[in-house]
Amino acid sequence: VGGRSCNAGHVHLVLNIPPKYSVSHTVGFLKGKSAILIHRHLTDRNRGFTGKHFWSIGYFESTVGLVEQMVK
């Protein structure tokens, strides 16, 4: 975004989260479900992911408001 190169070690998402859901809960849900799906896809296994880590701890959030199209 903005002419900078993106590091392959992170993911950018633009989300519209309803006010009844917290950002931390939504990000935790997305990280958890995506880690399981990626694990299943790469290993062809449906079980055995408990206790393993895929994503790093933490996340960054920012609001975009009126500049949403520019960020996309």
Side-chain angles (χ1 to χ4, degrees), residues 19-35:
K20 68 179 184 176
Y21 299 112
S22 71
V23 173
S24 62
H25 182 268
T26 303
V27 170
F29 178 83
L30 290 173
K31 288 173 76 171
K33 294 299 180 184
S34 63

Side-chain angles (χ1 to χ4, degrees), residues 39-51:
H39 174 76
R40 287 179 179 168
H41 177 74
L42 294 178
T43 63
D44 293 326
R45 293 174 57 195
N46 289 329
R47 309 186 114 210
F49 193 66
T50 304

